[in-house]
mmCIF file of all heavy atoms in Angstrom:
data_model
loop_
_atom_site.group_PDB
_atom_site.id
_atom_site.type_symbol
_atom_site.label_atom_id
_atom_site.label_comp_id
_atom_site.label_asym_id
_atom_site.label_seq_id
_atom_site.Cartn_x
_atom_site.Cartn_y
_atom_site.Cartn_z
ATOM 1 N N ASN A 186 -25.439 -18.846 103.803
ATOM 2 C CA ASN A 186 -26.549 -18.929 104.751
ATOM 3 C C ASN A 186 -27.209 -20.304 104.696
ATOM 4 O O ASN A 186 -27.470 -20.833 103.606
ATOM 5 C CB ASN A 186 -27.603 -17.869 104.450
ATOM 6 C CG ASN A 186 -27.172 -16.489 104.901
ATOM 7 O OD1 ASN A 186 -27.006 -15.596 104.086
ATOM 8 N ND2 ASN A 186 -26.973 -16.309 106.193
ATOM 9 N N VAL A 187 -27.475 -20.833 105.864
ATOM 10 C CA VAL A 187 -28.237 -22.069 105.994
ATOM 11 C C VAL A 187 -29.587 -21.703 106.600
ATOM 12 O O VAL A 187 -29.657 -20.931 107.561
ATOM 13 C CB VAL A 187 -27.499 -23.073 106.910
ATOM 14 C CG1 VAL A 187 -28.397 -24.260 107.253
ATOM 15 C CG2 VAL A 187 -26.220 -23.558 106.237
ATOM 16 N N PHE A 188 -30.654 -22.243 106.024
ATOM 17 C CA PHE A 188 -31.990 -22.026 106.574
ATOM 18 C C PHE A 188 -32.406 -23.272 107.352
ATOM 19 O O PHE A 188 -32.230 -24.398 106.882
ATOM 20 C CB PHE A 188 -33.001 -21.720 105.470
ATOM 21 C CG PHE A 188 -32.842 -20.338 104.905
ATOM 22 C CD1 PHE A 188 -32.395 -20.155 103.595
ATOM 23 C CD2 PHE A 188 -33.116 -19.217 105.667
ATOM 24 C CE1 PHE A 188 -32.230 -18.886 103.083
ATOM 25 C CE2 PHE A 188 -32.953 -17.940 105.159
ATOM 26 C CZ PHE A 188 -32.506 -17.770 103.861
ATOM 27 N N VAL A 189 -32.942 -23.038 108.544
ATOM 28 C CA VAL A 189 -33.351 -24.149 109.410
ATOM 29 C C VAL A 189 -34.765 -23.919 109.922
ATOM 30 O O VAL A 189 -35.271 -22.791 109.926
ATOM 31 C CB VAL A 189 -32.402 -24.295 110.626
ATOM 32 C CG1 VAL A 189 -30.976 -24.600 110.182
ATOM 33 C CG2 VAL A 189 -32.430 -23.036 111.502
ATOM 34 N N VAL A 190 -35.379 -25.006 110.370
ATOM 35 C CA VAL A 190 -36.678 -24.929 111.051
ATOM 36 C C VAL A 190 -36.544 -25.704 112.364
ATOM 37 O O VAL A 190 -35.665 -26.561 112.499
ATOM 38 C CB VAL A 190 -37.818 -25.533 110.192
ATOM 39 C CG1 VAL A 190 -38.034 -24.704 108.934
ATOM 40 C CG2 VAL A 190 -37.526 -26.990 109.836
ATOM 41 N N PRO A 191 -37.380 -25.399 113.354
ATOM 42 C CA PRO A 191 -37.348 -26.189 114.594
ATOM 43 C C PRO A 191 -37.623 -27.656 114.283
ATOM 44 O O PRO A 191 -38.309 -27.982 113.305
ATOM 45 C CB PRO A 191 -38.474 -25.577 115.433
ATOM 46 C CG PRO A 191 -38.708 -24.218 114.856
ATOM 47 C CD PRO A 191 -38.397 -24.339 113.398
ATOM 48 N N ALA A 192 -37.122 -28.543 115.112
ATOM 49 C CA ALA A 192 -37.257 -29.983 114.858
ATOM 50 C C ALA A 192 -38.713 -30.428 114.724
ATOM 51 O O ALA A 192 -39.025 -31.337 113.955
ATOM 52 C CB ALA A 192 -36.571 -30.768 115.968
ATOM 53 N N ASP A 193 -39.614 -29.777 115.478
ATOM 54 C CA ASP A 193 -41.026 -30.183 115.444
ATOM 55 C C ASP A 193 -41.860 -29.364 114.467
ATOM 56 O O ASP A 193 -43.094 -29.382 114.506
ATOM 57 C CB ASP A 193 -41.642 -30.104 116.843
ATOM 58 C CG ASP A 193 -41.574 -28.686 117.432
ATOM 59 O OD1 ASP A 193 -40.988 -27.791 116.782
ATOM 60 O OD2 ASP A 193 -42.108 -28.475 118.538
ATOM 61 N N SER A 194 -41.204 -28.633 113.561
ATOM 62 C CA SER A 194 -41.914 -27.793 112.598
ATOM 63 C C SER A 194 -42.729 -28.638 111.611
ATOM 64 O O SER A 194 -42.296 -29.718 111.206
ATOM 65 C CB SER A 194 -40.910 -26.947 111.815
ATOM 66 O OG SER A 194 -41.539 -26.294 110.721
ATOM 67 N N PRO A 195 -43.902 -28.133 111.232
ATOM 68 C CA PRO A 195 -44.674 -28.833 110.195
ATOM 69 C C PRO A 195 -44.006 -28.731 108.825
ATOM 70 O O PRO A 195 -44.323 -29.496 107.907
ATOM 71 C CB PRO A 195 -46.026 -28.107 110.207
ATOM 72 C CG PRO A 195 -45.710 -26.741 110.749
ATOM 73 C CD PRO A 195 -44.618 -26.956 111.747
ATOM 74 N N PHE A 196 -43.071 -27.778 108.670
ATOM 75 C CA PHE A 196 -42.340 -27.644 107.413
ATOM 76 C C PHE A 196 -41.193 -28.646 107.378
ATOM 77 O O PHE A 196 -40.280 -28.587 108.211
ATOM 78 C CB PHE A 196 -41.771 -26.225 107.245
ATOM 79 C CG PHE A 196 -42.812 -25.133 107.251
ATOM 80 C CD1 PHE A 196 -42.640 -24.001 108.043
ATOM 81 C CD2 PHE A 196 -43.955 -25.225 106.471
ATOM 82 C CE1 PHE A 196 -43.585 -22.985 108.050
ATOM 83 C CE2 PHE A 196 -44.911 -24.220 106.475
ATOM 84 C CZ PHE A 196 -44.731 -23.098 107.264
ATOM 85 N N LYS A 197 -41.241 -29.556 106.417
ATOM 86 C CA LYS A 197 -40.193 -30.572 106.305
ATOM 87 C C LYS A 197 -39.131 -30.179 105.276
ATOM 88 O O LYS A 197 -37.979 -30.596 105.382
ATOM 89 C CB LYS A 197 -40.804 -31.926 105.903
ATOM 90 C CG LYS A 197 -41.905 -32.405 106.834
ATOM 91 C CD LYS A 197 -41.426 -32.535 108.271
ATOM 92 C CE LYS A 197 -42.548 -33.021 109.195
ATOM 93 N NZ LYS A 197 -42.155 -33.006 110.624
ATOM 94 N N THR A 198 -39.543 -29.391 104.292
ATOM 95 C CA THR A 198 -38.636 -28.988 103.219
ATOM 96 C C THR A 198 -38.870 -27.518 102.880
ATOM 97 O O THR A 198 -39.866 -26.912 103.310
ATOM 98 C CB THR A 198 -38.874 -29.819 101.943
ATOM 99 O OG1 THR A 198 -40.180 -29.505 101.432
ATOM 100 C CG2 THR A 198 -38.781 -31.321 102.228
ATOM 101 N N MET A 199 -37.979 -26.962 102.065
ATOM 102 C CA MET A 199 -38.159 -25.587 101.608
ATOM 103 C C MET A 199 -39.404 -25.471 100.728
ATOM 104 O O MET A 199 -40.066 -24.423 100.709
ATOM 105 C CB MET A 199 -36.919 -25.107 100.860
ATOM 106 C CG MET A 199 -36.944 -23.627 100.480
ATOM 107 S SD MET A 199 -37.123 -22.506 101.905
ATOM 108 C CE MET A 199 -35.490 -22.616 102.646
ATOM 109 N N LYS A 200 -39.746 -26.521 100.034
ATOM 110 C CA LYS A 200 -40.960 -26.499 99.200
ATOM 111 C C LYS A 200 -42.208 -26.308 100.065
ATOM 112 O O LYS A 200 -43.166 -25.638 99.654
ATOM 113 C CB LYS A 200 -41.068 -27.788 98.374
ATOM 114 C CG LYS A 200 -40.029 -27.879 97.255
ATOM 115 C CD LYS A 200 -40.276 -29.069 96.358
ATOM 116 C CE LYS A 200 -39.189 -29.209 95.305
ATOM 117 N NZ LYS A 200 -39.113 -28.074 94.381
ATOM 118 N N ASP A 201 -42.214 -26.883 101.260
ATOM 119 C CA ASP A 201 -43.332 -26.682 102.190
ATOM 120 C C ASP A 201 -43.428 -25.208 102.598
ATOM 121 O O ASP A 201 -44.522 -24.639 102.681
ATOM 122 C CB ASP A 201 -43.152 -27.537 103.447
ATOM 123 C CG ASP A 201 -43.215 -29.027 103.180
ATOM 124 O OD1 ASP A 201 -43.799 -29.406 102.147
ATOM 125 O OD2 ASP A 201 -42.679 -29.794 103.994
ATOM 126 N N VAL A 202 -42.271 -24.603 102.847
ATOM 127 C CA VAL A 202 -42.227 -23.193 103.236
ATOM 128 C C VAL A 202 -42.751 -22.326 102.092
ATOM 129 O O VAL A 202 -43.568 -21.414 102.302
ATOM 130 C CB VAL A 202 -40.786 -22.772 103.601
ATOM 131 C CG1 VAL A 202 -40.712 -21.268 103.851
ATOM 132 C CG2 VAL A 202 -40.307 -23.539 104.834
ATOM 133 N N VAL A 203 -42.298 -22.618 100.889
ATOM 134 C CA VAL A 203 -42.714 -21.842 99.717
ATOM 135 C C VAL A 203 -44.217 -21.960 99.495
ATOM 136 O O VAL A 203 -44.901 -20.964 99.214
ATOM 137 C CB VAL A 203 -41.940 -22.294 98.463
ATOM 138 C CG1 VAL A 203 -42.563 -21.724 97.197
ATOM 139 C CG2 VAL A 203 -40.471 -21.870 98.572
ATOM 140 N N ALA A 204 -44.744 -23.158 99.638
ATOM 141 C CA ALA A 204 -46.182 -23.366 99.437
ATOM 142 C C ALA A 204 -46.991 -22.514 100.416
ATOM 143 O O ALA A 204 -48.008 -21.905 100.047
ATOM 144 C CB ALA A 204 -46.529 -24.841 99.600
ATOM 145 N N GLN A 205 -46.530 -22.439 101.665
ATOM 146 C CA GLN A 205 -47.230 -21.634 102.661
ATOM 147 C C GLN A 205 -47.074 -20.138 102.369
ATOM 148 O O GLN A 205 -48.017 -19.359 102.559
ATOM 149 C CB GLN A 205 -46.700 -21.964 104.059
ATOM 150 C CG GLN A 205 -47.429 -21.255 105.192
ATOM 151 C CD GLN A 205 -48.906 -21.586 105.256
ATOM 152 O OE1 GLN A 205 -49.317 -22.713 104.930
ATOM 153 N NE2 GLN A 205 -49.727 -20.621 105.650
ATOM 154 N N MET A 206 -45.889 -19.737 101.910
ATOM 155 C CA MET A 206 -45.667 -18.334 101.532
ATOM 156 C C MET A 206 -46.618 -17.917 100.412
ATOM 157 O O MET A 206 -47.173 -16.824 100.433
ATOM 158 C CB MET A 206 -44.229 -18.129 101.048
ATOM 159 C CG MET A 206 -43.190 -17.943 102.124
ATOM 160 S SD MET A 206 -41.551 -17.681 101.387
ATOM 161 C CE MET A 206 -41.739 -16.052 100.695
ATOM 162 N N GLN A 207 -46.777 -18.790 99.434
ATOM 163 C CA GLN A 207 -47.652 -18.468 98.298
ATOM 164 C C GLN A 207 -49.104 -18.387 98.725
ATOM 165 O O GLN A 207 -49.887 -17.625 98.159
ATOM 166 C CB GLN A 207 -47.454 -19.511 97.196
ATOM 167 C CG GLN A 207 -46.079 -19.425 96.529
ATOM 168 C CD GLN A 207 -45.810 -20.575 95.580
ATOM 169 O OE1 GLN A 207 -46.234 -21.718 95.816
ATOM 170 N NE2 GLN A 207 -45.099 -20.290 94.494
ATOM 171 N N LYS A 208 -49.457 -19.148 99.744
ATOM 172 C CA LYS A 208 -50.824 -19.142 100.251
ATOM 173 C C LYS A 208 -51.070 -17.916 101.141
ATOM 174 O O LYS A 208 -52.088 -17.236 101.026
ATOM 175 C CB LYS A 208 -51.080 -20.426 101.056
ATOM 176 C CG LYS A 208 -52.523 -20.629 101.482
ATOM 177 C CD LYS A 208 -52.651 -21.841 102.420
ATOM 178 C CE LYS A 208 -52.120 -23.103 101.768
ATOM 179 N NZ LYS A 208 -52.273 -24.283 102.679
ATOM 180 N N ASP A 209 -50.114 -17.639 102.051
ATOM 181 C CA ASP A 209 -50.256 -16.545 103.012
ATOM 182 C C ASP A 209 -48.850 -16.090 103.441
ATOM 183 O O ASP A 209 -48.298 -16.606 104.420
ATOM 184 C CB ASP A 209 -51.066 -17.020 104.232
ATOM 185 C CG ASP A 209 -51.259 -15.915 105.273
ATOM 186 O OD1 ASP A 209 -50.880 -14.754 104.997
ATOM 187 O OD2 ASP A 209 -51.790 -16.231 106.364
ATOM 188 N N PRO A 210 -48.256 -15.143 102.712
ATOM 189 C CA PRO A 210 -46.866 -14.734 102.968
ATOM 190 C C PRO A 210 -46.592 -14.340 104.416
ATOM 191 O O PRO A 210 -45.562 -14.701 104.987
ATOM 192 C CB PRO A 210 -46.672 -13.529 102.040
ATOM 193 C CG PRO A 210 -47.670 -13.721 100.962
ATOM 194 C CD PRO A 210 -48.849 -14.383 101.602
ATOM 195 N N GLY A 211 -47.523 -13.634 105.038
ATOM 196 C CA GLY A 211 -47.303 -13.156 106.399
ATOM 197 C C GLY A 211 -47.290 -14.241 107.449
ATOM 198 O O GLY A 211 -46.798 -14.026 108.565
ATOM 199 N N SER A 212 -47.796 -15.413 107.114
ATOM 200 C CA SER A 212 -47.870 -16.496 108.099
ATOM 201 C C SER A 212 -46.521 -17.186 108.307
ATOM 202 O O SER A 212 -46.355 -17.951 109.255
ATOM 203 C CB SER A 212 -48.914 -17.528 107.677
ATOM 204 O OG SER A 212 -48.505 -18.201 106.494
ATOM 205 N N VAL A 213 -45.583 -16.935 107.406
ATOM 206 C CA VAL A 213 -44.248 -17.514 107.533
ATOM 207 C C VAL A 213 -43.317 -16.451 108.125
ATOM 208 O O VAL A 213 -43.030 -15.443 107.487
ATOM 209 C CB VAL A 213 -43.695 -17.991 106.176
ATOM 210 C CG1 VAL A 213 -42.280 -18.551 106.351
ATOM 211 C CG2 VAL A 213 -44.620 -19.032 105.562
ATOM 212 N N LYS A 214 -42.866 -16.674 109.338
ATOM 213 C CA LYS A 214 -41.948 -15.727 109.986
ATOM 214 C C LYS A 214 -40.507 -16.157 109.748
ATOM 215 O O LYS A 214 -40.108 -17.258 110.129
ATOM 216 C CB LYS A 214 -42.207 -15.687 111.499
ATOM 217 C CG LYS A 214 -43.476 -14.979 111.912
ATOM 218 C CD LYS A 214 -43.537 -14.894 113.438
ATOM 219 C CE LYS A 214 -44.783 -14.167 113.907
ATOM 220 N NZ LYS A 214 -44.840 -14.103 115.386
ATOM 221 N N TRP A 215 -39.750 -15.273 109.107
ATOM 222 C CA TRP A 215 -38.333 -15.524 108.864
ATOM 223 C C TRP A 215 -37.526 -14.816 109.954
ATOM 224 O O TRP A 215 -37.693 -13.620 110.172
ATOM 225 C CB TRP A 215 -37.917 -14.976 107.503
ATOM 226 C CG TRP A 215 -38.600 -15.626 106.343
ATOM 227 C CD1 TRP A 215 -39.847 -15.351 105.875
ATOM 228 C CD2 TRP A 215 -38.075 -16.667 105.519
ATOM 229 N NE1 TRP A 215 -40.133 -16.157 104.799
ATOM 230 C CE2 TRP A 215 -39.054 -16.976 104.559
ATOM 231 C CE3 TRP A 215 -36.864 -17.369 105.498
ATOM 232 C CZ2 TRP A 215 -38.868 -17.955 103.581
ATOM 233 C CZ3 TRP A 215 -36.670 -18.343 104.521
ATOM 234 C CH2 TRP A 215 -37.670 -18.643 103.587
ATOM 235 N N GLY A 216 -36.642 -15.527 110.623
ATOM 236 C CA GLY A 216 -35.842 -14.924 111.682
ATOM 237 C C GLY A 216 -34.365 -14.928 111.342
ATOM 238 O O GLY A 216 -33.845 -15.891 110.767
ATOM 239 N N GLY A 217 -33.688 -13.829 111.668
ATOM 240 C CA GLY A 217 -32.257 -13.752 111.400
ATOM 241 C C GLY A 217 -31.673 -12.463 111.929
ATOM 242 O O GLY A 217 -32.205 -11.856 112.851
ATOM 243 N N GLY A 218 -30.572 -12.034 111.322
ATOM 244 C CA GLY A 218 -29.904 -10.811 111.742
ATOM 245 C C GLY A 218 -30.701 -9.575 111.381
ATOM 246 O O GLY A 218 -31.856 -9.646 110.939
ATOM 247 N N SER A 219 -30.079 -8.441 111.559
ATOM 248 C CA SER A 219 -30.754 -7.163 111.358
ATOM 249 C C SER A 219 -31.302 -6.999 109.946
ATOM 250 O O SER A 219 -30.923 -7.724 109.021
ATOM 251 C CB SER A 219 -29.777 -6.013 111.645
ATOM 252 O OG SER A 219 -29.251 -6.112 112.948
#
């Protein structure tokens, strides 16, 4: 699996995503298969 973000996303790295998850897990929407 490769994880991607839109080109204009404020998240530049996975560490940015993790930091936001730790702050507010529900604010990070993960999209994928079923």
